[in-house]
Amino acid sequence: MDSLLLDFGRNVHAAGLHIQNEVQLLHRTMNMGTGGRTNRRSFEFGRTYVVKPKGRHQATIVWLHGLGDNGSSWSQLLEALPLPNIKWICPTAPTRPVALLGGFPCAAWFDVGELSEDSPDDFEGLDASAAHVANLLSAEPADIKLGVGGFSMGAATALYSATCFAHGRCANGSPYPVNLRAIVGLSGWLPGSRSLRNKIEGSHEAARRAAYLPILLCHGNSDDVVPYKFGEKSTQFLGSAGFRYVSFKTFDGLGHYTVPKEMDEVCHWLNGRLGLDGSRS
């Protein structure tokens, strides 16, 4: 166990470097102005990293990185977690111009201009990423429990995937083909929150799916990149829209990064919600 924790610490540090890169990238460009939204075009997703289960395969979770990162750093961290029954799929976002960065291209699941309740959502980008996640999960065996998780922009995409699952389709009308059993979002926010409640309440089937999908949100109250209030408000929006099983965990003093204590919470929650065999290898 000591060696596992040591490995986990090393991988947290490795992932932390990528997370810190995201923080620096955002801070360097906050004062550049959001500029206009870029013209839409097709983007190719980057490399996908897979962490195979060390024990009996019971669940598969697609984990999504933050802005400017890639799937490799998170695959290293996730491989060290005491969750031997989970297969992790860690894709890399397309490289695309990002309005928040003045149009500078970097790995991003969707375009974003600024983090505010009034900023428009890039549903084209969100739909493309949600469809990519669903496609990765659709190849899993029928008896495997499926989930989506992520950090920062990856968490936002995971939460958007939850709303697509509840609706049964994405914003562009494309069917959402997989049955999600768990959603995890770290230091993120909920895109499309303004119209979520009406969409869920307008469909009995959507309300049913939303009511039984468990969601874990974690956020540090010292986050100066994605403010803590976005985590709080996302939880409120989800609850008011009919997602009954939303857990919100606050981490005192935590900035825009993850720590072992937070990942311990993720492990405990996933074991309980997915009914895994536990931490036996």
Side-chain angles (χ1 to χ4, degrees), residues 35-175:
R37 288 197 166 266
T38 57
N39 292 329
R40 299 294 189 241
R41 60 187 180 91
S42 298
F43 293 92
E44 292 186 5
F45 288 84
R47 180 177 174 182
T48 296
Y49 299 81
V50 177
V51 178
K52 296 180 180 180
K54 299 177 178 66
R56 183 166 68 94
H57 184 195
Q58 294 179 282
T60 296
I61 296 177
V62 171
W63 191 272
L64 306 171
H65 61 76
L67 179 65
D69 201 354
N70 59 64
S72 175
S73 59
W74 278 98
S75 70
Q76 297 172 47
L77 188 154
L78 296 167
E79 187 172 19
L81 295 180
L83 292 169
N85 308 111
I86 294 180
K87 172 184 174 181
W88 300 95
I89 301 177
C90 303
T92 299
T95 297
R96 67 176 75 208
V98 178
L100 178 63
L101 310 181
F104 182 82
C106 71
W109 300 109
F110 53 92
D111 190 17
V112 59
E114 60 180 348
L115 292 182
S116 77
E117 295 179 16
D118 298 323
S119 62
D121 291 299
D122 173 22
F123 285 111
E124 184 177 10
L126 284 161
D127 283 346
S129 292
H132 185 65
V133 169
N135 184 58
L136 291 171
L137 290 171
S138 64
E140 295 301 292
D143 61 336
I144 298 301
K145 298 170 183 176
L146 307 177
V148 186
F151 173 82
S152 192
M153 175 179 272
T157 308
L159 291 177
Y160 182 72
S161 296
T163 65
C164 292
F165 163 71
H167 298 153
R169 62 186 183 278
C170 295
N172 61 13
S174 299

Side-chain angles (χ1 to χ4, degrees), residues 4-275:
L4 177 62
L5 291 175
L6 182 61
D7 287 341
F8 176 71
R10 291 196 188 102
N11 288 322
V12 166
H13 176 70
L17 294 178
H18 287 269
I19 295 168
Q20 193 63 34
N21 287 341
E22 177 193 8
V23 174
Q24 293 170 354
L25 185 64
L26 286 168
H27 277 307
R28 284 202 305 268
T29 56
M30 282 295 185
N31 296 322
M32 291 174 59
T34 59
R37 288 197 166 266
T38 57
N39 292 329
R40 299 294 189 241
R41 60 187 180 91
S42 298
F43 293 92
E44 292 186 5
F45 288 84
R47 180 177 174 182
T48 296
Y49 299 81
V50 177
V51 178
K52 296 180 180 180
K54 299 177 178 66
R56 183 166 68 94
H57 184 195
Q58 294 179 282
T60 296
I61 296 177
V62 171
W63 191 272
L64 306 171
H65 61 76
L67 179 65
D69 201 354
N70 59 64
S72 175
S73 59
W74 278 98
S75 70
Q76 297 172 47
L77 188 154
L78 296 167
E79 187 172 19
L81 295 180
L83 292 169
N85 308 111
I86 294 180
K87 172 184 174 181
W88 300 95
I89 301 177
C90 303
T92 299
T95 297
R96 67 176 75 208
V98 178
L100 178 63
L101 310 181
F104 182 82
C106 71
W109 300 109
F110 53 92
D111 190 17
V112 59
E114 60 180 348
L115 292 182
S116 77
E117 295 179 16
D118 298 323
S119 62
D121 291 299
D122 173 22
F123 285 111
E124 184 177 10
L126 284 161
D127 283 346
S129 292
H132 185 65
V133 169
N135 184 58
L136 291 171
L137 290 171
S138 64
E140 295 301 292
D143 61 336
I144 298 301
K145 298 170 183 176
L146 307 177
V148 186
F151 173 82
S152 192
M153 175 179 272
T157 308
L159 291 177
Y160 182 72
S161 296
T163 65
C164 292
F165 163 71
H167 298 153
R169 62 186 183 278
C170 295
N172 61 13
S174 299
Y176 194 80
V178 295
N179 181 28
L180 298 180
R181 299 289 296 273
I183 300 290
V184 178
L186 311 182
S187 305
W189 72 96
L190 173 65
S193 58
R194 286 165 292 185
S195 60
L196 178 61
R197 182 172 180 175
N198 290 338
K199 290 181 179 179
I200 298 292
E201 290 181 345
S203 166
H204 175 75
E205 186 62 23
R208 184 191 67 80
R209 284 191 291 262
Y212 291 100
L213 177 63
I215 299 175
L216 172 65
L217 300 181
C218 299
H219 218 112
N221 59 13
S222 295
D223 192 331
D224 59 352
V225 176
V226 179
Y228 177 76
K229 67 179 182 180
F230 281 88
E232 284 187 313
K233 289 184 177 180
S234 295
T235 303
Q236 295 167 3
F237 279 125
L238 288 165
S240 64
F243 288 86
R244 297 179 184 177
Y245 297 106
V246 181
S247 300
F248 182 67
K249 301 293 182 180
T250 300
F251 289 85
D252 291 332
L254 181 65
H256 198 65
Y257 49 87
T258 189
V259 291
K261 182 179 180 181
E262 184 179 42
M263 298 311 295
D264 286 345
E265 181 66 37
V266 171
C267 292
H268 176 75
W269 188 85
L270 286 172
N271 268 324
R273 286 300 182 183
L274 294 178

